[in-house]
Amino acid sequence: MSDVPDRSREAAQMHSDSLSRFMRQHPPFDRLPDAELQYLLRQARLVFHPSGSTLLHPDGEPVRQFFLLQQGRIQGLRRGRNGEPARVQFEIGVGECFPLAALLGERPTRTEHVAVEDVFCLVWSSDDFARLVRESEPFREFALKGVSGLLAEVGRQMQQRAAGQLGSDFSMAQPIGSLLARQPVQAAPTLTLGDALKQMEREQVSSLVIVNSAKKPIGIFTLRDLRRRLATEGWRPELPVSDWMTPSPIHLERDVPVFQAALVLAERGITHIVVTHQGRLQGVLSERDLFQLQRLSLVSLARGIRHATCLDQLHDSRAALSQLVEQLLARGASAGQITQLIARFNDQLVQRVQTLVSLRLGAPAGAVTWLCFGSEAREEQTLHTDQDNGLWFDSEAQRPALLRWAEAVNRDLDTLGLSWCSGGIMAGQPACCLTPAEWRSRFLGWLREPTPANLLNAVIFFDMRVVQGDVEAVEVLRRDILDEAAGSDLFLRLLSEEALRRTPPLGRIRDFRLSKGGDHPHTFDLKLEGLTPLVDGARVLALRYGISAVSTVERFQALVHDNRLRAVDGEAYVEAFQHLQLLRLQLHHEQARDGQPLSNRLDPDRLNPLDRRILRECLRQVERLQEDVKVRAGL
């Protein structure tokens, strides 16, 4: 019998090791030092609660316990008023801690926590919780930041996964000032060209910033400027460098993120950017400084699109864009930054295709404006997208030739991977090739007669942006649409019903409601069931309150700014949207890497526990937004 105590100790150690492995799989315990984790293991109690039992109730004393769900499922219920049934506010899954806000606020919880199946929880006292908040930085950060901290952790993990494939820790979020490696090389405008070149040779630089007496940049002179003008003007070293410089150079403040500087380089087709602080010269960044760790130059990609002479060259640019997205994921760019970049490059692609079609068929007679709709207008496209575009032109006589020209543009874009729109929302279709009066009639007609077909059109067309052409004329129409929509209760009510038609795939028995058969079993559509309800909800609220912003994030931010949404709610919706979009980009990246067709179907079981938890939390935010839309519409 002497070995019984040894076996008991061995069993206890095995139990402790099992709990330790479980806790290490979930934040914040995955980041705690061993000593802090061992302290928690010593203090923990494993408690069983049968299905239907209440763990926490909003009535009574402040919360005295901190929970970690090890097995089962818990729902947070808020009792209805006047005898109305309780509503599920949230659901807690395995690996989640609760109730953080109540413990931090030393108050009762505001919801009833009910076990919807048999559960086991690890439980600590509020004193243990308070000690960890005081003494453990990772735990304190987790407790105070909550879901925002989890989202940041997921972002770090996504970046690390992509960076591991690319071998880089370079971040697109870091300020451009951090990349300045030397003092700026500058000169007065009176310096001669010959002396300027001697100074550049001495300093081993390819650019020279021309400054005034206050040390503020007034121009930039580069070797590229010299080569471009030598052929036409000849060598004249005695002239002042101010005659050869590019005046009023594009400049950015030193705290601007690298991504924004990269976007400016790509859009303007320049190779150098002046960095300032409060207007005074700080340094110069070249394309090489920004992308020395990249295998692909963002600026050369943009230049390749602008100078392409055939579709094959543009096809190569589209393939290069896919590589660029992969690199941006590795460098910590946000989903919004990546989709914005895709939209800008697609704009350039559209413009270049128009030029090539004009060379084949002849340029359109008279002024035309190319419109885009939907995700392209919101700058929320991924690489897996189709076309939604239209033409705005002045004269009825232009229509026949414009239809032929626009259809050719649509077909070339389809060849390049911007898929043919199955719904016919393309500039080469008669319904989308209209005069300003016809566009106005269509939009106002949809508002005044909100039939199901008109509501579907409104969902697509009311997100509108000019790719090329008369921006101001289109903005006048947009303002009129907003005024008309804000005054139409029937339209807003029916549009709200349309926005609530798709619900997030949160299950009542399992974490997620997934498909059972078909081509993609055990998956859900991340775009249609996750992102689209957020996009639709933001659109309805923007139209209700006359907000002109087009992108989903800007709509939520404007709603907060105008006190139509609480800041905490707006931030939660933005975080959910950005994370779901990043997850979609990551999904497409993995599919492309594995040679699979791009799809929005996601199997949550392929995610790690942290990713699943955040996905569930993001979908809960979708539910909350839809409930808000429903209440405001009186549904």
PDB file of all heavy atoms in Angstrom, residues 294-305 312-328 338 341-342 345-346 349 383 416:
ATOM      1  N   GLN A 294      11.306  44.087 -50.259  1.00  0.00           N
ATOM      2  CA  GLN A 294      10.287  43.458 -51.086  1.00  0.00           C
ATOM      3  C   GLN A 294      10.876  42.918 -52.377  1.00  0.00           C
ATOM      4  O   GLN A 294      11.805  43.480 -52.940  1.00  0.00           O
ATOM      5  CB  GLN A 294       9.181  44.466 -51.441  1.00  0.00           C
ATOM      6  CG  GLN A 294       8.243  44.725 -50.297  1.00  0.00           C
ATOM      7  CD  GLN A 294       7.017  45.486 -50.751  1.00  0.00           C
ATOM      8  OE1 GLN A 294       6.401  46.132 -49.958  1.00  0.00           O
ATOM      9  NE2 GLN A 294       6.649  45.420 -52.009  1.00  0.00           N
ATOM     10  N   ARG A 295      10.266  41.860 -52.859  1.00  0.00           N
ATOM     11  CA  ARG A 295      10.679  41.315 -54.146  1.00  0.00           C
ATOM     12  C   ARG A 295       9.960  42.010 -55.279  1.00  0.00           C
ATOM     13  O   ARG A 295      10.254  41.799 -56.438  1.00  0.00           O
ATOM     14  CB  ARG A 295      10.364  39.811 -54.181  1.00  0.00           C
ATOM     15  CG  ARG A 295      11.099  39.016 -53.148  1.00  0.00           C
ATOM     16  CD  ARG A 295      10.645  37.581 -53.118  1.00  0.00           C
ATOM     17  NE  ARG A 295       9.223  37.476 -52.868  1.00  0.00           N
ATOM     18  CZ  ARG A 295       8.672  36.451 -52.240  1.00  0.00           C
ATOM     19  NH1 ARG A 295       9.423  35.466 -51.801  1.00  0.00           N
ATOM     20  NH2 ARG A 295       7.374  36.397 -52.045  1.00  0.00           N
ATOM     21  N   LEU A 296       8.987  42.821 -54.952  1.00  0.00           N
ATOM     22  CA  LEU A 296       8.174  43.461 -55.971  1.00  0.00           C
ATOM     23  C   LEU A 296       8.045  44.935 -55.647  1.00  0.00           C
ATOM     24  O   LEU A 296       7.772  45.304 -54.517  1.00  0.00           O
ATOM     25  CB  LEU A 296       6.784  42.817 -56.006  1.00  0.00           C
ATOM     26  CG  LEU A 296       5.795  43.394 -57.003  1.00  0.00           C
ATOM     27  CD1 LEU A 296       6.239  43.070 -58.418  1.00  0.00           C
ATOM     28  CD2 LEU A 296       4.407  42.848 -56.750  1.00  0.00           C
ATOM     29  N   SER A 297       8.237  45.793 -56.621  1.00  0.00           N
ATOM     30  CA  SER A 297       8.127  47.226 -56.419  1.00  0.00           C
ATOM     31  C   SER A 297       6.703  47.680 -56.684  1.00  0.00           C
ATOM     32  O   SER A 297       6.167  47.494 -57.769  1.00  0.00           O
ATOM     33  CB  SER A 297       9.087  47.956 -57.352  1.00  0.00           C
ATOM     34  OG  SER A 297       8.718  49.320 -57.451  1.00  0.00           O
ATOM     35  N   LEU A 298       6.106  48.315 -55.683  1.00  0.00           N
ATOM     36  CA  LEU A 298       4.751  48.827 -55.833  1.00  0.00           C
ATOM     37  C   LEU A 298       4.703  49.895 -56.915  1.00  0.00           C
ATOM     38  O   LEU A 298       3.771  49.944 -57.720  1.00  0.00           O
ATOM     39  CB  LEU A 298       4.294  49.385 -54.477  1.00  0.00           C
ATOM     40  CG  LEU A 298       2.846  49.801 -54.288  1.00  0.00           C
ATOM     41  CD1 LEU A 298       2.469  49.618 -52.823  1.00  0.00           C
ATOM     42  CD2 LEU A 298       2.621  51.239 -54.669  1.00  0.00           C
ATOM     43  N   VAL A 299       5.703  50.755 -56.951  1.00  0.00           N
ATOM     44  CA  VAL A 299       5.724  51.827 -57.947  1.00  0.00           C
ATOM     45  C   VAL A 299       5.907  51.268 -59.352  1.00  0.00           C
ATOM     46  O   VAL A 299       5.242  51.696 -60.304  1.00  0.00           O
ATOM     47  CB  VAL A 299       6.835  52.848 -57.617  1.00  0.00           C
ATOM     48  CG1 VAL A 299       6.938  53.900 -58.710  1.00  0.00           C
ATOM     49  CG2 VAL A 299       6.558  53.509 -56.279  1.00  0.00           C
ATOM     50  N   SER A 300       6.783  50.288 -59.501  1.00  0.00           N
ATOM     51  CA  SER A 300       6.982  49.726 -60.840  1.00  0.00           C
ATOM     52  C   SER A 300       5.745  48.973 -61.301  1.00  0.00           C
ATOM     53  O   SER A 300       5.453  48.918 -62.508  1.00  0.00           O
ATOM     54  CB  SER A 300       8.198  48.796 -60.856  1.00  0.00           C
ATOM     55  OG  SER A 300       7.977  47.659 -60.041  1.00  0.00           O
ATOM     56  N   LEU A 301       4.968  48.409 -60.353  1.00  0.00           N
ATOM     57  CA  LEU A 301       3.711  47.768 -60.718  1.00  0.00           C
ATOM     58  C   LEU A 301       2.738  48.793 -61.288  1.00  0.00           C
ATOM     59  O   LEU A 301       2.122  48.573 -62.335  1.00  0.00           O
ATOM     60  CB  LEU A 301       3.102  47.079 -59.492  1.00  0.00           C
ATOM     61  CG  LEU A 301       1.711  46.462 -59.649  1.00  0.00           C
ATOM     62  CD1 LEU A 301       1.683  45.460 -60.795  1.00  0.00           C
ATOM     63  CD2 LEU A 301       1.273  45.801 -58.354  1.00  0.00           C
ATOM     64  N   ALA A 302       2.610  49.923 -60.612  1.00  0.00           N
ATOM     65  CA  ALA A 302       1.723  50.978 -61.109  1.00  0.00           C
ATOM     66  C   ALA A 302       2.213  51.505 -62.453  1.00  0.00           C
ATOM     67  O   ALA A 302       1.418  51.746 -63.378  1.00  0.00           O
ATOM     68  CB  ALA A 302       1.654  52.118 -60.093  1.00  0.00           C
ATOM     69  N   ARG A 303       3.530  51.655 -62.579  1.00  0.00           N
ATOM     70  CA  ARG A 303       4.085  52.164 -63.839  1.00  0.00           C
ATOM     71  C   ARG A 303       3.870  51.155 -64.964  1.00  0.00           C
ATOM     72  O   ARG A 303       3.576  51.524 -66.110  1.00  0.00           O
ATOM     73  CB  ARG A 303       5.580  52.455 -63.650  1.00  0.00           C
ATOM     74  CG  ARG A 303       6.214  53.271 -64.783  1.00  0.00           C
ATOM     75  CD  ARG A 303       7.674  53.552 -64.470  1.00  0.00           C
ATOM     76  NE  ARG A 303       7.802  54.318 -63.251  1.00  0.00           N
ATOM     77  CZ  ARG A 303       8.655  54.040 -62.267  1.00  0.00           C
ATOM     78  NH1 ARG A 303       9.450  52.973 -62.361  1.00  0.00           N
ATOM     79  NH2 ARG A 303       8.710  54.795 -61.208  1.00  0.00           N
ATOM     80  N   GLY A 304       3.967  49.858 -64.629  1.00  0.00           N
ATOM     81  CA  GLY A 304       3.741  48.831 -65.634  1.00  0.00           C
ATOM     82  C   GLY A 304       2.323  48.856 -66.172  1.00  0.00           C
ATOM     83  O   GLY A 304       2.098  48.642 -67.373  1.00  0.00           O
ATOM     84  N   ILE A 305       1.355  49.151 -65.281  1.00  0.00           N
ATOM     85  CA  ILE A 305      -0.042  49.253 -65.730  1.00  0.00           C
ATOM     86  C   ILE A 305      -0.206  50.465 -66.646  1.00  0.00           C
ATOM     87  O   ILE A 305      -0.809  50.370 -67.727  1.00  0.00           O
ATOM     88  CB  ILE A 305      -0.991  49.357 -64.520  1.00  0.00           C
ATOM     89  CG1 ILE A 305      -0.995  48.039 -63.743  1.00  0.00           C
ATOM     90  CG2 ILE A 305      -2.408  49.717 -64.972  1.00  0.00           C
ATOM     91  CD1 ILE A 305      -1.785  48.092 -62.451  1.00  0.00           C
ATOM     92  N   ASP A 312      -1.721  41.196 -72.430  1.00  0.00           N
ATOM     93  CA  ASP A 312      -0.799  40.251 -71.798  1.00  0.00           C
ATOM     94  C   ASP A 312       0.019  40.941 -70.713  1.00  0.00           C
ATOM     95  O   ASP A 312       0.261  40.379 -69.636  1.00  0.00           O
ATOM     96  CB  ASP A 312       0.132  39.628 -72.843  1.00  0.00           C
ATOM     97  CG  ASP A 312      -0.576  38.580 -73.695  1.00  0.00           C
ATOM     98  OD1 ASP A 312      -1.673  38.134 -73.282  1.00  0.00           O
ATOM     99  OD2 ASP A 312      -0.046  38.227 -74.766  1.00  0.00           O
ATOM    100  N   GLN A 313       0.460  42.179 -70.998  1.00  0.00           N
ATOM    101  CA  GLN A 313       1.229  42.913 -70.001  1.00  0.00           C
ATOM    102  C   GLN A 313       0.365  43.261 -68.790  1.00  0.00           C
ATOM    103  O   GLN A 313       0.821  43.193 -67.645  1.00  0.00           O
ATOM    104  CB  GLN A 313       1.810  44.179 -70.624  1.00  0.00           C
ATOM    105  CG  GLN A 313       2.881  43.895 -71.677  1.00  0.00           C
ATOM    106  CD  GLN A 313       3.364  45.154 -72.375  1.00  0.00           C
ATOM    107  OE1 GLN A 313       2.831  46.248 -72.165  1.00  0.00           O
ATOM    108  NE2 GLN A 313       4.369  45.008 -73.225  1.00  0.00           N
ATOM    109  N   LEU A 314      -0.903  43.602 -69.017  1.00  0.00           N
ATOM    110  CA  LEU A 314      -1.799  43.899 -67.905  1.00  0.00           C
ATOM    111  C   LEU A 314      -2.114  42.634 -67.111  1.00  0.00           C
ATOM    112  O   LEU A 314      -2.304  42.688 -65.891  1.00  0.00           O
ATOM    113  CB  LEU A 314      -3.091  44.525 -68.426  1.00  0.00           C
ATOM    114  CG  LEU A 314      -2.956  45.962 -68.963  1.00  0.00           C
ATOM    115  CD1 LEU A 314      -4.287  46.444 -69.508  1.00  0.00           C
ATOM    116  CD2 LEU A 314      -2.469  46.906 -67.866  1.00  0.00           C
ATOM    117  N   HIS A 315      -2.167  41.501 -67.783  1.00  0.00           N
ATOM    118  CA  HIS A 315      -2.391  40.231 -67.083  1.00  0.00           C
ATOM    119  C   HIS A 315      -1.231  39.947 -66.137  1.00  0.00           C
ATOM    120  O   HIS A 315      -1.423  39.482 -65.007  1.00  0.00           O
ATOM    121  CB  HIS A 315      -2.547  39.093 -68.090  1.00  0.00           C
ATOM    122  CG  HIS A 315      -3.064  37.820 -67.496  1.00  0.00           C
ATOM    123  ND1 HIS A 315      -2.236  36.912 -66.866  1.00  0.00           N
ATOM    124  CD2 HIS A 315      -4.316  37.323 -67.398  1.00  0.00           C
ATOM    125  CE1 HIS A 315      -2.959  35.906 -66.425  1.00  0.00           C
ATOM    126  NE2 HIS A 315      -4.229  36.116 -66.732  1.00  0.00           N
ATOM    127  N   ASP A 316      -0.022  40.241 -66.571  1.00  0.00           N
ATOM    128  CA  ASP A 316       1.153  40.072 -65.698  1.00  0.00           C
ATOM    129  C   ASP A 316       1.044  40.987 -64.480  1.00  0.00           C
ATOM    130  O   ASP A 316       1.425  40.597 -63.363  1.00  0.00           O
ATOM    131  CB  ASP A 316       2.437  40.381 -66.469  1.00  0.00           C
ATOM    132  CG  ASP A 316       2.737  39.337 -67.543  1.00  0.00           C
ATOM    133  OD1 ASP A 316       2.165  38.231 -67.473  1.00  0.00           O
ATOM    134  OD2 ASP A 316       3.515  39.650 -68.467  1.00  0.00           O
ATOM    135  N   SER A 317       0.521  42.192 -64.683  1.00  0.00           N
ATOM    136  CA  SER A 317       0.361  43.129 -63.571  1.00  0.00           C
ATOM    137  C   SER A 317      -0.662  42.622 -62.560  1.00  0.00           C
ATOM    138  O   SER A 317      -0.476  42.772 -61.352  1.00  0.00           O
ATOM    139  CB  SER A 317      -0.058  44.509 -64.094  1.00  0.00           C
ATOM    140  OG  SER A 317       0.962  45.078 -64.893  1.00  0.00           O
ATOM    141  N   ARG A 318      -1.736  42.007 -63.045  1.00  0.00           N
ATOM    142  CA  ARG A 318      -2.730  41.436 -62.124  1.00  0.00           C
ATOM    143  C   ARG A 318      -2.116  40.311 -61.292  1.00  0.00           C
ATOM    144  O   ARG A 318      -2.372  40.189 -60.097  1.00  0.00           O
ATOM    145  CB  ARG A 318      -3.919  40.889 -62.920  1.00  0.00           C
ATOM    146  CG  ARG A 318      -4.962  41.914 -63.277  1.00  0.00           C
ATOM    147  CD  ARG A 318      -5.857  42.271 -62.109  1.00  0.00           C
ATOM    148  NE  ARG A 318      -6.720  41.175 -61.721  1.00  0.00           N
ATOM    149  CZ  ARG A 318      -7.532  41.204 -60.675  1.00  0.00           C
ATOM    150  NH1 ARG A 318      -7.549  42.281 -59.892  1.00  0.00           N
ATOM    151  NH2 ARG A 318      -8.303  40.180 -60.372  1.00  0.00           N
ATOM    152  N   ALA A 319      -1.277  39.501 -61.914  1.00  0.00           N
ATOM    153  CA  ALA A 319      -0.606  38.424 -61.176  1.00  0.00           C
ATOM    154  C   ALA A 319       0.347  39.011 -60.135  1.00  0.00           C
ATOM    155  O   ALA A 319       0.463  38.513 -59.009  1.00  0.00           O
ATOM    156  CB  ALA A 319       0.145  37.520 -62.144  1.00  0.00           C
ATOM    157  N   ALA A 320       1.039  40.089 -60.521  1.00  0.00           N
ATOM    158  CA  ALA A 320       1.956  40.741 -59.585  1.00  0.00           C
ATOM    159  C   ALA A 320       1.195  41.357 -58.411  1.00  0.00           C
ATOM    160  O   ALA A 320       1.693  41.394 -57.281  1.00  0.00           O
ATOM    161  CB  ALA A 320       2.764  41.815 -60.313  1.00  0.00           C
ATOM    162  N   LEU A 321      -0.018  41.843 -58.658  1.00  0.00           N
ATOM    163  CA  LEU A 321      -0.832  42.414 -57.582  1.00  0.00           C
ATOM    164  C   LEU A 321      -1.134  41.357 -56.523  1.00  0.00           C
ATOM    165  O   LEU A 321      -1.137  41.644 -55.326  1.00  0.00           O
ATOM    166  CB  LEU A 321      -2.129  42.985 -58.162  1.00  0.00           C
ATOM    167  CG  LEU A 321      -3.106  43.618 -57.163  1.00  0.00           C
ATOM    168  CD1 LEU A 321      -2.441  44.753 -56.393  1.00  0.00           C
ATOM    169  CD2 LEU A 321      -4.356  44.123 -57.883  1.00  0.00           C
ATOM    170  N   SER A 322      -1.371  40.127 -56.948  1.00  0.00           N
ATOM    171  CA  SER A 322      -1.612  39.045 -55.998  1.00  0.00           C
ATOM    172  C   SER A 322      -0.394  38.832 -55.102  1.00  0.00           C
ATOM    173  O   SER A 322      -0.520  38.638 -53.889  1.00  0.00           O
ATOM    174  CB  SER A 322      -1.949  37.755 -56.757  1.00  0.00           C
ATOM    175  OG  SER A 322      -2.120  36.682 -55.867  1.00  0.00           O
ATOM    176  N   GLN A 323       0.803  38.899 -55.671  1.00  0.00           N
ATOM    177  CA  GLN A 323       2.026  38.765 -54.873  1.00  0.00           C
ATOM    178  C   GLN A 323       2.167  39.930 -53.898  1.00  0.00           C
ATOM    179  O   GLN A 323       2.600  39.761 -52.761  1.00  0.00           O
ATOM    180  CB  GLN A 323       3.236  38.715 -55.797  1.00  0.00           C
ATOM    181  CG  GLN A 323       3.258  37.524 -56.747  1.00  0.00           C
ATOM    182  CD  GLN A 323       4.420  37.625 -57.714  1.00  0.00           C
ATOM    183  OE1 GLN A 323       5.481  38.149 -57.386  1.00  0.00           O
ATOM    184  NE2 GLN A 323       4.230  37.125 -58.931  1.00  0.00           N
ATOM    185  N   LEU A 324       1.782  41.120 -54.370  1.00  0.00           N
ATOM    186  CA  LEU A 324       1.882  42.301 -53.515  1.00  0.00           C
ATOM    187  C   LEU A 324       0.966  42.169 -52.297  1.00  0.00           C
ATOM    188  O   LEU A 324       1.352  42.525 -51.184  1.00  0.00           O
ATOM    189  CB  LEU A 324       1.526  43.554 -54.321  1.00  0.00           C
ATOM    190  CG  LEU A 324       1.592  44.884 -53.559  1.00  0.00           C
ATOM    191  CD1 LEU A 324       3.001  45.140 -53.046  1.00  0.00           C
ATOM    192  CD2 LEU A 324       1.133  46.022 -54.446  1.00  0.00           C
ATOM    193  N   VAL A 325      -0.242  41.667 -52.494  1.00  0.00           N
ATOM    194  CA  VAL A 325      -1.165  41.460 -51.376  1.00  0.00           C
ATOM    195  C   VAL A 325      -0.542  40.512 -50.356  1.00  0.00           C
ATOM    196  O   VAL A 325      -0.621  40.727 -49.142  1.00  0.00           O
ATOM    197  CB  VAL A 325      -2.518  40.927 -51.889  1.00  0.00           C
ATOM    198  CG1 VAL A 325      -3.386  40.437 -50.725  1.00  0.00           C
ATOM    199  CG2 VAL A 325      -3.252  42.000 -52.680  1.00  0.00           C
ATOM    200  N   GLU A 326       0.086  39.455 -50.832  1.00  0.00           N
ATOM    201  CA  GLU A 326       0.763  38.507 -49.942  1.00  0.00           C
ATOM    202  C   GLU A 326       1.821  39.212 -49.105  1.00  0.00           C
ATOM    203  O   GLU A 326       1.930  38.997 -47.886  1.00  0.00           O
ATOM    204  CB  GLU A 326       1.394  37.402 -50.786  1.00  0.00           C
ATOM    205  CG  GLU A 326       2.193  36.381 -50.007  1.00  0.00           C
ATOM    206  CD  GLU A 326       2.847  35.365 -50.930  1.00  0.00           C
ATOM    207  OE1 GLU A 326       2.322  35.133 -52.032  1.00  0.00           O
ATOM    208  OE2 GLU A 326       3.892  34.823 -50.537  1.00  0.00           O
ATOM    209  N   GLN A 327       2.578  40.088 -49.733  1.00  0.00           N
ATOM    210  CA  GLN A 327       3.640  40.792 -49.015  1.00  0.00           C
ATOM    211  C   GLN A 327       3.071  41.796 -48.020  1.00  0.00           C
ATOM    212  O   GLN A 327       3.602  41.976 -46.917  1.00  0.00           O
ATOM    213  CB  GLN A 327       4.559  41.477 -50.029  1.00  0.00           C
ATOM    214  CG  GLN A 327       5.332  40.481 -50.895  1.00  0.00           C
ATOM    215  CD  GLN A 327       6.013  41.147 -52.071  1.00  0.00           C
ATOM    216  OE1 GLN A 327       6.057  42.361 -52.166  1.00  0.00           O
ATOM    217  NE2 GLN A 327       6.533  40.348 -52.980  1.00  0.00           N
ATOM    218  N   LEU A 328       1.976  42.460 -48.397  1.00  0.00           N
ATOM    219  CA  LEU A 328       1.363  43.423 -47.486  1.00  0.00           C
ATOM    220  C   LEU A 328       0.808  42.720 -46.243  1.00  0.00           C
ATOM    221  O   LEU A 328       0.882  43.255 -45.139  1.00  0.00           O
ATOM    222  CB  LEU A 328       0.252  44.186 -48.208  1.00  0.00           C
ATOM    223  CG  LEU A 328       0.723  45.174 -49.276  1.00  0.00           C
ATOM    224  CD1 LEU A 328      -0.458  45.717 -50.058  1.00  0.00           C
ATOM    225  CD2 LEU A 328       1.507  46.314 -48.647  1.00  0.00           C
ATOM    226  N   ILE A 338      -5.192  47.136 -47.530  1.00  0.00           N
ATOM    227  CA  ILE A 338      -4.984  46.217 -48.642  1.00  0.00           C
ATOM    228  C   ILE A 338      -6.094  46.356 -49.679  1.00  0.00           C
ATOM    229  O   ILE A 338      -5.842  46.442 -50.881  1.00  0.00           O
ATOM    230  CB  ILE A 338      -4.877  44.772 -48.135  1.00  0.00           C
ATOM    231  CG1 ILE A 338      -3.612  44.612 -47.282  1.00  0.00           C
ATOM    232  CG2 ILE A 338      -4.854  43.783 -49.303  1.00  0.00           C
ATOM    233  CD1 ILE A 338      -3.507  43.269 -46.587  1.00  0.00           C
ATOM    234  N   LEU A 341      -5.744  49.501 -51.618  1.00  0.00           N
ATOM    235  CA  LEU A 341      -4.705  49.395 -52.633  1.00  0.00           C
ATOM    236  C   LEU A 341      -5.202  48.602 -53.844  1.00  0.00           C
ATOM    237  O   LEU A 341      -4.955  48.978 -55.001  1.00  0.00           O
ATOM    238  CB  LEU A 341      -3.466  48.724 -52.041  1.00  0.00           C
ATOM    239  CG  LEU A 341      -2.203  48.768 -52.904  1.00  0.00           C
ATOM    240  CD1 LEU A 341      -1.668  50.187 -52.975  1.00  0.00           C
ATOM    241  CD2 LEU A 341      -1.146  47.843 -52.353  1.00  0.00           C
ATOM    242  N   ILE A 342      -5.909  47.500 -53.599  1.00  0.00           N
ATOM    243  CA  ILE A 342      -6.474  46.719 -54.708  1.00  0.00           C
ATOM    244  C   ILE A 342      -7.396  47.591 -55.543  1.00  0.00           C
ATOM    245  O   ILE A 342      -7.347  47.565 -56.780  1.00  0.00           O
ATOM    246  CB  ILE A 342      -7.221  45.491 -54.157  1.00  0.00           C
ATOM    247  CG1 ILE A 342      -6.236  44.484 -53.546  1.00  0.00           C
ATOM    248  CG2 ILE A 342      -8.033  44.808 -55.260  1.00  0.00           C
ATOM    249  CD1 ILE A 342      -6.906  43.339 -52.814  1.00  0.00           C
ATOM    250  N   PHE A 345      -5.385  50.079 -57.701  1.00  0.00           N
ATOM    251  CA  PHE A 345      -4.762  49.427 -58.854  1.00  0.00           C
ATOM    252  C   PHE A 345      -5.810  48.999 -59.876  1.00  0.00           C
ATOM    253  O   PHE A 345      -5.578  49.077 -61.081  1.00  0.00           O
ATOM    254  CB  PHE A 345      -3.918  48.232 -58.413  1.00  0.00           C
ATOM    255  CG  PHE A 345      -2.529  48.620 -57.999  1.00  0.00           C
ATOM    256  CD1 PHE A 345      -2.083  48.419 -56.710  1.00  0.00           C
ATOM    257  CD2 PHE A 345      -1.666  49.202 -58.912  1.00  0.00           C
ATOM    258  CE1 PHE A 345      -0.802  48.788 -56.328  1.00  0.00           C
ATOM    259  CE2 PHE A 345      -0.376  49.574 -58.538  1.00  0.00           C
ATOM    260  CZ  PHE A 345       0.053  49.370 -57.243  1.00  0.00           C
ATOM    261  N   ASN A 346      -6.972  48.550 -59.405  1.00  0.00           N
ATOM    262  CA  ASN A 346      -8.031  48.206 -60.347  1.00  0.00           C
ATOM    263  C   ASN A 346      -8.522  49.437 -61.101  1.00  0.00           C
ATOM    264  O   ASN A 346      -8.869  49.355 -62.282  1.00  0.00           O
ATOM    265  CB  ASN A 346      -9.198  47.528 -59.608  1.00  0.00           C
ATOM    266  CG  ASN A 346      -8.904  46.082 -59.263  1.00  0.00           C
ATOM    267  OD1 ASN A 346      -7.984  45.474 -59.818  1.00  0.00           O
ATOM    268  ND2 ASN A 346      -9.668  45.520 -58.359  1.00  0.00           N
ATOM    269  N   LEU A 349      -6.075  49.930 -63.735  1.00  0.00           N
ATOM    270  CA  LEU A 349      -6.261  48.888 -64.737  1.00  0.00           C
ATOM    271  C   LEU A 349      -7.422  49.254 -65.671  1.00  0.00           C
ATOM    272  O   LEU A 349      -7.314  49.128 -66.899  1.00  0.00           O
ATOM    273  CB  LEU A 349      -6.536  47.560 -64.037  1.00  0.00           C
ATOM    274  CG  LEU A 349      -6.345  46.281 -64.840  1.00  0.00           C
ATOM    275  CD1 LEU A 349      -4.864  46.014 -65.086  1.00  0.00           C
ATOM    276  CD2 LEU A 349      -6.955  45.103 -64.093  1.00  0.00           C
ATOM    277  N   LEU A 383      -9.164  40.190 -54.241  1.00  0.00           N
ATOM    278  CA  LEU A 383      -8.781  39.743 -55.583  1.00  0.00           C
ATOM    279  C   LEU A 383      -9.882  38.906 -56.230  1.00  0.00           C
ATOM    280  O   LEU A 383      -9.910  38.734 -57.447  1.00  0.00           O
ATOM    281  CB  LEU A 383      -7.481  38.933 -55.508  1.00  0.00           C
ATOM    282  CG  LEU A 383      -6.248  39.737 -55.062  1.00  0.00           C
ATOM    283  CD1 LEU A 383      -5.061  38.803 -54.864  1.00  0.00           C
ATOM    284  CD2 LEU A 383      -5.896  40.815 -56.084  1.00  0.00           C
ATOM    285  N   LEU A 416      -8.937  39.832 -67.836  1.00  0.00           N
ATOM    286  CA  LEU A 416      -7.885  40.118 -66.858  1.00  0.00           C
ATOM    287  C   LEU A 416      -8.236  39.649 -65.446  1.00  0.00           C
ATOM    288  O   LEU A 416      -7.453  39.848 -64.522  1.00  0.00           O
ATOM    289  CB  LEU A 416      -7.596  41.624 -66.840  1.00  0.00           C
ATOM    290  CG  LEU A 416      -6.998  42.191 -68.129  1.00  0.00           C
ATOM    291  CD1 LEU A 416      -6.955  43.710 -68.073  1.00  0.00           C
ATOM    292  CD2 LEU A 416      -5.605  41.629 -68.361  1.00  0.00           C
TER     293      LEU A 416
END
